[in-house]
Amino acid sequence: MSLAGQIVNLIAALLLLVSFAMLSQRRVRDLVDLFMIQGALLAAATLVTAVATGQSHLYYSAALTVALKVIVLPLILRRVLRRLALETDVELLINIPTTMLVGIALVVVAFNMAVPISQLAGTITRGALGIALACVLLAFLMMITRRKALAQVVGFLSMENGLFFAATSVTYGMPMVVELGIALDVLVGTFVFGVFFFRIRETFDSLDTSHFEKLKDR
Amino acid sequence: MSPGDLFQQVLEVVIAVFIAPLLVGWVNQCRAWLQNRTGAGIWQPYQVLHKLFRKDAVVAHNASGLFRVTPYIVFASMVLAASLVPMLATALPFAAAADVIALVGLLALARVFMALAAMDVGTAFGSFGARREMLVAALAEPALLMVFFMPALIARSTSLGTIVEALAHRPFVLHPSLAFAAVAFVMVLLAENARIPIDNPTTHLELTMIHEAMILEYSGRHLALMEWAHALKLVIYSTIGIALFLPWGIAEAGDWPGLPLAVLAITLKLLAGGAALAVVESVSAKLRIFRAPEFLASAFLFAVLGVLTHLLLAGRA
Amino acid sequence: MSQFLQSPLSSILGVVAFWLALGTIGVALGRDRDGVRFVYPATALGGALIAWLAGTALGADPVSLVLPLGLPDLPFHLRLDSLSAFFLFLLGLAVTGVSLSAAGYFRAGSSPSPGLTCLQYHVFIAAMVMVILADDAYAFLVAWESMALASYFLVTTDHRHEEIRAAGFLYLVVAHVGAIALLVCFGVLQGQAGSFTFDAMRGVTIAAPWAGVAFSLALVGFGAKAGFLPLHAWLPEAHPAAPSPVSALMSGVMLKTAIYGLLRVTFDLLHTQASAWGVVALVIGLVTALFGVMFAAVQTDMKRLLAYSSIENVGVVLGAIGLAIVFRAHGMASLAALSLVAALYHCLNHAVVKSLLFSATGAVLHATDQRSLGRLGGLIHRMPWVAWLALVGALSLAGLPPLNGFVSEWLLLQSFLFSPDIPDGYLRMLVPLATAALVLAAAFAAYVMVKFYGVVFLGQPREPSLETAHDAGPWERAGLVFLAVWCVLLGLFPALVIRRIDAVTVQLLGEGLGDAATRDWLFLTPMATERASYGPALFLAVIASAVLATFAYVRVRHHGRLRRAPAWDCGYPAQTARMQDTAEGFGQPVKQIFEPFFRIERVIPDPFDRAPRYWSKTEDRLWYWLYLPVARLVAAVSAQVARLQHGRIQWYLVYSFVTLLALLIFIRL
């Protein structure tokens, strides 16, 4: 395997590691930090692929990732955290070891699902597809197991990271237009979420999503 | 087994045994600096050992022979363990007697004796220390084994010398799964060496201590041996970590000119590792005892995940 | 005739006859407790003889024999091959050690009729020998049922207690569910082979679906005896109920006869194995192991704790067998041999260690009349012999080098490490998880053993009466020493043992570990030296010399002064034995971590309660999920059946009449 391929594989493993770290994290603030690291890793992976393959649009894509996911979004999220003065610990629905066990099962499934697709792909980084898929599933799992809405936003964003990585590893990235569109979507989505947080807290005095059960019609 | 190899082996063990207090002194000094204290100096542990060896051993009335023999067994186990870990060179004649699995078993042997000795006097602290230690170990030990399995899979051998040779001297290949192993290993190292966030080596606050509670009844030469063995354990874990994850610079079998370089390399790595340990301990808070299993379960699962990643990525390469 | 006497098979039969005679002598001696006691050393002699004979038969050509007993057209076929020789060896060792200590145990046991117990004991061990020797389905089942019945009567020796009768009943029910499964299993095999002899079954290759059915039935049938999940419920009830030597034999040997049967059916009678069977066995085995060790950690009765630990160990053995099946199915015979050797070695270790520990609990029970861990403690001072010998067993069961428990664990981990070569994707990923489960179980086994040993033998005595506990008598010491010495030997010279065991793998798999594994008697190198090696004797030598060197260093360089004083305990002056950690305390973290697996009832007193009482009970969820529903179903069905009973003779005649008519019509069709 080429050096670039090895580095991308290493970064892929680190991404998976970060995903699991997110699963095992109780604090929202640390979740945001981890999200930032994930973004940086993603940018690094894109950059390495760009250098290895000489595809210029990947450079832009890497720069965009850094700007959006390492700088802007974490800033917004931290601001929201401060403004909302969130308690530090996230309440979990399931305890952490169990969540991680489920996570491991998801990884096994994801890898086996990815085998046929990655055999079709001819890119240097096709081995990483399974990991990308696993990252998406793990982010989903994190959204399920957390109570605080903010953790769910981070999960959502991290899911997008997984998708993005899948795209890079299988097809050397999506067309620029699509990528810009997604970036914009994510940004807008975060703003919308931000607005929602304040509304939610005004209504329920808490960001605990289990309060939503009260919204049911009786 | 050539005489040269045997000499190297003995040299390694002697060095490990005698620098062990120094490493502890260094970590404590770094911690002191980080906490804006002057610190006691890096030679302090030697002075403590010397003091303890000179004092009479005071043993509880109802302590049995097991209590008195345990410090020697624990210390001897650690010496044997030190002889199994490649520190300067990968040629270790004793290593044929025990591979990584046996090394984990050896550490477990020392721990079980320590726990039994703690229960021997029959005080409240001793027995709860033993219970907590065994609980921490029951989760950390599998994690350590799984950490070892990954390089063992890469090198297709469970002999530590072969593993390190494979990692250090073969063509450069990045092993993504080692990242998981490294994280898990650091977590295990913290737990097994009674460090924050699992235990606090400087506490004598009853409700929080684990390791200190176990050796509470020891004094004099027995305590000195226990403390020394504990310091040696830190050296063993550090050198294992260095050998697995930063093996560059280690000398191959029969490579005498490489030895000075290896000594330099290991010195720098241990200094850096000790400082890093001090930083980790200074920035983190001790976990409640019931968060500790969560911490260790995470370490264990990280290690398992590393093995999985290895199988998956290697299977396709 | 002289040839008949020389063959090891007939000598073993001679020992069986001798044992039965001893049992009869026991009955004849009746209530003369001292007379009956001295039957047991003779039993031990027979055990040693069997172990020796079996040892020589390992690797020799199979010997067969037809006894003029049994059905007219199906006499008892017996056969002594390497597989049965191995299990006979294990049986012989355990019986020798246990019978020696039984001579001490039964000196004042609570058994109401020592003579009868003596007979049952001998029938039990004789039946186990016959199970291992049987070479046709009929002889096998006769021996199997005799073993089950004899052990049932032994479990209910102390039948005046309600709970012991209940334990015996549960044991009998599960044993019979298992026996039915075995009956059907042999029926399936017979249907394909056309004969009930194992020889005929060996001769035919059965179609895959039928082979699968036979394997599943064997797994259920033998699983009920071995205590695989979910058929384990009888084990922790029956083992503590029985007298200690019997618990030792049930745990040490009877569970192994089930393993023997499973190996016999899977590898000897069936010729092809599907990978899926292996996966099933691996998963059940490891789940059983984890379950057993978790429940062992929360027990408060020392014999129940050991019983759960037996469940754990049997689970590990099943896991190893499962791995062997997987390897075999993928054509990796040498790896299959490695895991099978691990399974067999583990059987041997567990037989010796569990016999040792159960005999030690027998001695403790004798000296203190206590089984509850909450009322023991500090026995190392009063019973040094038992305590130090039990330490060997506890360390060995905790899987610590250089004792024997570690060897089989090491072998099994080695075979797990080689499993990434399996071509199947999902399976390859199952392996790290299985390894993780195995090492977790092994690590918790150490936790359990520290709890067991620490609470029983160390600390301060928790009851004043323990101050007068007496050490074991000479017979018990002899038995314990015998077993402990074997623990050490099996741990120190594994290569020599494996050289013998290899004959079994060659018989079952057609391929063994070969010379490479056993060339060097000092080092264990299952594959190649640079891949893995373990030299326990050298290991022990280095530790021992390091201990001596340290001791000499401290003495010469410093001093050996020692003072005795009250315990320090952070300066707390008024410490009592009740402040020590209890068995419940030791179980509490495990309960907390693995809470979902337990069914816990707690009563926690109110802070203002004048007479506070804390009370908690930990139970097996499976009991409520599986056993009670089944019991209720059976009760409901039998209530329906009971409607047929009217008590009027006419109705019964009508039933018979209708049945007769129906049968006649059926035959006509």
Side-chain angles (χ1 to χ4, degrees):
Chain A
M1 201 191 286
S2 67
L3 182 65
Q6 280 185 35
I7 295 178
V8 172
N9 262 353
L10 179 69
I11 294 178
L14 290 176
L15 274 177
L16 192 60
L17 192 65
V18 171
S19 296
F20 268 93
M22 280 182 167
L23 270 188
S24 68
Q25 203 47 259
R26 283 174 181 273
R27 295 185 180 170
V28 184
R29 178 176 292 281
D30 294 348
L31 274 184
V32 176
D33 289 350
L34 285 170
F35 171 72
M36 207 170 86
I37 295 173
Q38 206 180 32
L41 285 171
L42 200 58
T46 320
L47 197 65
V48 171
T49 320
V51 172
T53 61
Q55 304 220 3
S56 57
H57 78 268
L58 285 179
Y59 288 107
Y60 301 119
S61 164
L64 190 65
T65 311
V66 172
L68 192 63
K69 288 173 185 161
V70 184
I71 301 169
V72 179
L73 285 178
L75 267 182
I76 298 176
L77 288 172
R78 290 226 179 86
R79 217 176 126 80
V80 171
L81 268 178
R82 241 196 335 272
R83 289 275 294 281
L84 291 174
L86 279 178
E87 316 90 297
T88 43
D89 270 20
V90 189
E91 281 174 64
L92 305 177
L93 289 177
I94 315 173
N95 72 5
I96 287 175
T98 317
T99 320
M100 289 187 69
L101 268 182
V102 177
I104 285 184
L106 286 181
V107 172
V108 171
V109 172
F111 273 84
N112 275 296
M113 303 288 252
V115 171
I117 310 173
S118 55
Q119 269 160 359
L120 288 179
T123 52
I124 54 164
T125 53
R126 62 206 173 99
L129 180 65
I131 290 189
L133 192 53
C135 286
V136 173
L137 294 181
L138 288 175
F140 217 133
L141 181 65
M142 195 189 83
M143 289 172 70
I144 293 172
T145 54
R146 300 301 142 115
R147 286 198 168 174
K148 290 286 183 293
L150 203 85
Q152 280 159 358
V153 175
V154 177
F156 170 76
L157 292 173
S158 136
M159 201 156 92
E160 199 273 333
N161 278 352
L163 281 176
F164 185 87
F165 187 62
T168 339
S169 61
V170 180
T171 63
Y172 293 141
M174 293 172 268
M176 209 55 214
V177 186
V178 182
E179 228 160 77
L180 279 175
I182 292 178
L184 203 63
D185 265 0
V186 168
L187 200 59
V188 172
T190 313
F191 277 119
V192 174
F193 268 121
V195 176
F196 258 116
F197 288 151
F198 290 101
R199 310 294 321 168
I200 293 169
R201 206 180 51 155
E202 265 173 37
T203 320
F204 296 108
D205 255 350
S206 148
L207 271 184
D208 194 329
T209 47
S210 50
H211 290 299
F212 290 2
E213 286 168 17
K214 293 180 196 156
L215 293 176
K216 262 191 315 200
D217 268 343
R218 273 181 225 278
Chain B
M1 193 191 295
S2 73
D5 283 352
L6 199 62
F7 172 73
Q8 219 173 39
Q9 170 82 72
V10 173
L11 183 76
E12 279 214 24
V13 174
V14 170
I15 291 179
V17 169
F18 286 97
I19 65 157
L22 186 60
L23 181 64
V24 172
W26 167 245
V27 174
N28 287 344
Q29 187 60 43
C30 286
R31 272 171 48 144
W33 284 331
L34 284 167
Q35 293 159 5
N36 268 338
R37 290 188 284 122
T38 315
I42 55 174
W43 304 105
Q44 182 63 24
Y46 290 100
Q47 287 163 6
V48 170
L49 286 184
H50 185 67
K51 176 189 80 183
L52 287 174
F53 270 122
R54 270 192 329 183
K55 288 194 166 188
D56 280 14
V58 183
V59 172
H61 285 304
N62 67 331
S64 70
L66 186 70
F67 182 81
R68 288 173 60 185
V69 78
T70 294
Y72 297 98
I73 293 181
V74 170
F75 188 76
S77 307
M78 288 303 157
V79 170
L80 177 57
S83 73
L84 297 173
V85 182
M87 190 165 79
L88 300 174
T90 51
L92 296 174
F94 287 169
D99 60 352
V100 283
I101 304 175
L103 176 63
V104 174
L106 183 63
L107 295 171
L109 179 74
R111 178 168 45 238
V112 165
F113 265 99
M114 216 190 294
L116 289 177
M119 295 182 80
D120 187 41
V121 178
T123 59
F125 291 121
S127 43
F128 88 56
R131 183 224 296 179
R132 287 178 177 177
E133 171 77 8
M134 289 315 290
L135 179 72
V136 167
L139 293 163
E141 192 187 305
L144 183 61
L145 258 182
M146 295 309 282
V147 166
F148 277 135
F149 276 7
M150 234 164 311
L153 284 173
I154 292 170
R156 303 194 60 77
S157 161
T158 54
S159 153
L160 204 50
T162 317
I163 292 175
V164 174
E165 209 145 280
L167 292 177
H169 297 298
R170 297 231 179 114
F172 179 77
V173 181
L174 280 177
H175 289 290
S177 50
L178 283 182
F180 287 92
V183 171
F185 181 79
V186 170
M187 292 167 91
V188 172
L189 183 146
L190 292 173
E192 289 273 38
N193 286 288
R195 296 273 153 188
I196 292 176
I198 299 297
D199 193 0
N200 185 350
T202 52
T203 186
H204 274 100
L205 184 66
E206 289 88 342
L207 295 177
T208 58
M209 56 189 178
I210 301 177
H211 179 76
E212 290 298 322
M214 279 204 299
I215 58 172
L216 203 58
E217 296 299 326
Y218 277 112
S219 58
R221 58 178 184 278
H222 297 143
L223 181 61
L225 282 175
M226 285 298 213
E227 296 279 4
W228 200 349
H230 195 57
L232 192 50
K233 191 173 174 187
L234 183 63
V235 171
I236 292 165
Y237 270 88
S238 316
T239 44
I240 290 175
I242 288 168
L244 290 184
F245 306 112
L246 306 162
W248 302 288
I250 200 162
E252 242 177 285
D255 180 14
W256 291 98
L259 265 189
L261 183 68
V263 171
L264 186 68
I266 194 83
T267 314
L268 288 178
K269 288 185 224 169
L270 278 179
L271 285 178
L277 180 59
V279 171
V280 169
E281 278 204 89
S282 298
V283 299
S284 42
K286 191 183 167 302
L287 289 173
R288 272 199 300 139
I289 186 79
F290 276 112
R291 285 285 162 79
E294 224 163 62
F295 179 84
L296 290 164
S298 304
F300 181 44
L301 292 175
F302 274 136
V304 174
L305 201 66
V307 177
L308 265 180
T309 325
H310 171 78
L311 292 179
L312 300 169
L313 290 178
R316 218 160 300 136
Chain C
M1 187 66 195
S2 66
Q3 207 178 357
F4 177 84
L5 284 178
Q6 271 163 14
S7 124
L9 178 53
S10 33
S11 314
I12 289 171
L13 286 180
V15 174
V16 170
F18 171 63
W19 278 345
L20 292 177
L22 286 179
T24 331
I25 294 175
V27 174
L29 288 173
R31 286 177 186 278
D32 174 10
R33 208 175 279 279
D34 279 323
V36 173
R37 252 177 77 187
F38 290 105
V39 168
Y40 291 99
T43 319
L45 202 62
L49 194 60
I50 283 202
W52 181 69
L53 288 168
T56 57
L58 259 175
D61 288 331
V63 196
S64 304
L65 193 69
V66 180
L67 283 191
L69 288 171
L71 297 180
D73 55 342
L74 189 64
F76 281 1
H77 292 71
L78 302 181
R79 184 166 188 263
L80 179 66
D81 53 16
S82 291
L83 179 62
S84 38
F86 172 76
F87 279 90
L88 282 177
F89 175 71
L90 168 163
L91 179 143
L93 281 191
V95 166
T96 311
V98 172
S99 299
L100 279 177
S101 49
Y105 180 85
F106 284 120
R107 64 181 178 260
S110 48
S111 156
S113 47
L116 208 54
T117 306
C118 179
L119 176 68
Q120 290 156 358
Y121 182 91
H122 286 92
V123 170
F124 178 48
I125 50 179
M128 288 196 288
V129 173
M130 295 311 283
V131 164
I132 295 171
L133 285 178
D135 197 36
D136 67 76
Y138 179 67
F140 186 90
L141 283 175
V142 168
W144 186 258
E145 286 296 271
S146 323
M147 176 177 88
L149 283 179
S151 54
Y152 165 74
F153 285 120
L154 284 168
V155 166
T156 52
T157 299
D158 208 2
H159 51 78
R160 278 167 299 193
H161 294 285
E162 165 79 40
E163 68 262 41
I164 287 183
R165 285 202 303 274
F169 178 70
L170 179 65
Y171 170 49
L172 203 61
V173 169
V174 177
H176 279 88
V177 170
I180 290 168
L182 287 186
L183 196 64
V184 181
C185 167
F186 285 128
V188 168
L189 289 171
Q190 184 266 346
Q192 304 289 314
S195 161
F196 275 111
T197 59
F198 287 173
D199 248 341
M201 295 176 191
R202 237 174 251 131
V204 293
T205 305
I206 297 175
W210 284 113
V213 170
F215 174 77
S216 320
L217 286 166
L219 195 61
V220 172
F222 292 118
K225 188 63 86 185
F228 301 151
L229 228 59
L231 297 167
H232 63 283
W234 63 272
L235 215 146
E237 306 298 326
H239 277 51
S244 287
V246 176
S247 322
L249 285 182
M250 283 175 74
S251 181
V253 187
M254 192 180 76
L255 302 187
K256 307 305 175 309
T257 62
I259 300 289
Y260 161 80
L262 189 62
L263 288 175
R264 177 67 77 191
V265 170
T266 315
F267 288 102
D268 192 28
L269 303 186
L270 298 171
H271 296 284
T272 50
Q273 293 88 26
S275 168
W277 308 356
V279 175
V280 169
L282 185 63
V283 170
I284 294 184
L286 291 175
V287 170
T288 305
L290 278 177
F291 172 92
V293 79
M294 261 188 254
F295 273 81
V298 299
Q299 294 312 308
T300 54
D301 173 314
M302 61 177 175
K303 287 178 83 176
R304 274 179 85 94
L305 182 146
L306 289 181
Y308 273 112
S309 147
S310 294
I311 296 183
E312 179 224 336
N313 283 288
V314 162
V316 170
V317 171
L318 180 65
I321 294 176
L323 197 62
I325 297 176
V326 170
F327 280 134
R328 180 116 199 263
H330 285 98
M332 294 183 266
S334 58
L335 291 178
L338 182 59
S339 22
L340 197 58
V341 165
L344 293 170
Y345 211 116
H346 202 79
C347 283
L348 185 57
N349 288 339
H350 185 243
V352 176
V353 173
K354 260 310 149 53
S355 302
L356 172 61
L357 285 181
F358 266 118
S359 303
T361 59
V364 169
L365 197 57
H366 230 282
T368 63
D369 266 338
Q370 294 294 352
R371 252 171 40 193
S372 163
L373 290 170
R375 293 168 183 277
L376 291 164
L379 291 176
I380 196 170
H381 300 287
R382 303 274 161 258
M383 312 178 70
W385 275 86
V386 177
W388 286 100
L389 292 169
L391 181 63
V392 174
L395 293 180
S396 167
L397 203 56
L400 296 176
L403 291 167
N404 61 351
F406 181 74
V407 176
S408 42
E409 206 176 280
W410 188 85
L411 287 169
L412 190 53
L413 284 175
Q414 288 294 345
S415 46
F416 269 110
L417 263 179
F418 288 112
S419 48
D421 298 340
I422 297 174
D424 184 67
Y426 266 109
L427 203 53
R428 215 171 47 203
M429 278 178 250
L430 179 69
V431 166
L433 299 182
T435 320
L438 178 72
V439 292
L440 194 62
F444 267 99
Y447 182 88
V448 170
M449 279 303 117
V450 167
K451 166 179 172 168
F452 168 77
Y453 192 81
V455 174
V456 174
F457 293 106
L458 302 178
Q460 303 176 42
R462 290 183 175 77
E463 291 281 311
S465 63
L466 300 184
E467 295 288 354
T468 55
H470 55 87
D471 205 353
W475 287 112
E476 277 175 300
R477 280 182 207 174
L480 292 174
V481 167
F482 177 82
L483 292 167
V485 165
W486 271 98
C487 277
V488 175
L489 286 182
L490 289 173
L492 288 187
F493 304 105
L496 297 181
V497 183
I498 288 175
R499 194 178 293 171
R500 289 305 181 81
I501 295 183
D502 217 24
V504 184
T505 53
V506 170
Q507 186 205 337
L508 294 186
L509 303 172
E511 192 170 335
L513 287 176
D515 283 347
T518 53
R519 203 183 314 118
D520 199 341
W521 63 274
L522 197 56
F523 289 101
L524 190 57
T525 50
M527 292 287 151
T529 316
E530 67 277 5
R531 291 193 72 159
S533 75
Y534 167 56
L538 185 61
F539 188 95
L540 180 65
V542 174
I543 289 198
S545 41
V547 167
L548 291 178
T550 314
F551 188 72
Y553 168 82
V554 172
R555 273 297 154 90
V556 172
R557 176 114 172 39
H558 302 287
H559 60 93
R561 291 194 299 273
L562 188 82
R563 272 196 292 133
R564 290 278 181 175
W568 157 233
D569 202 24
C570 275
Y572 191 69
Q575 44 188 323
T576 67
R578 287 181 57 98
M579 292 177 188
Q580 299 174 89
D581 212 354
T582 54
E584 286 86 354
F586 244 90
Q588 189 256 355
V590 175
K591 268 190 221 172
Q592 178 131 359
I593 300 174
F594 298 104
E595 190 162 8
F597 298 96
F598 299 107
R599 187 178 188 277
I600 301 173
E601 284 176 48
R602 276 201 197 92
V603 176
I604 296 171
D606 183 80
F608 302 103
D609 206 334
R610 288 279 169 195
R613 262 175 65 82
Y614 171 81
W615 169 85
S616 91
K617 191 161 99 179
T618 310
E619 285 173 306
D620 185 351
R621 280 190 186 278
L622 278 171
W623 183 252
Y624 291 87
W625 287 350
L626 180 69
Y627 285 82
L628 289 186
V630 169
R632 273 196 292 273
L633 188 69
V634 170
V637 170
S638 36
Q640 293 301 314
V641 173
R643 285 191 182 188
L644 294 175
Q645 277 189 331
H646 290 268
R648 280 178 62 179
I649 193 86
Q650 280 78 6
W651 274 109
Y652 295 121
L653 288 174
V654 168
Y655 294 152
S656 315
F657 183 66
V658 171
T659 315
L660 188 65
L661 270 184
L663 279 177
L664 283 174
I665 294 166
F666 179 73
I667 291 167
R668 193 71 195 84
L669 291 173

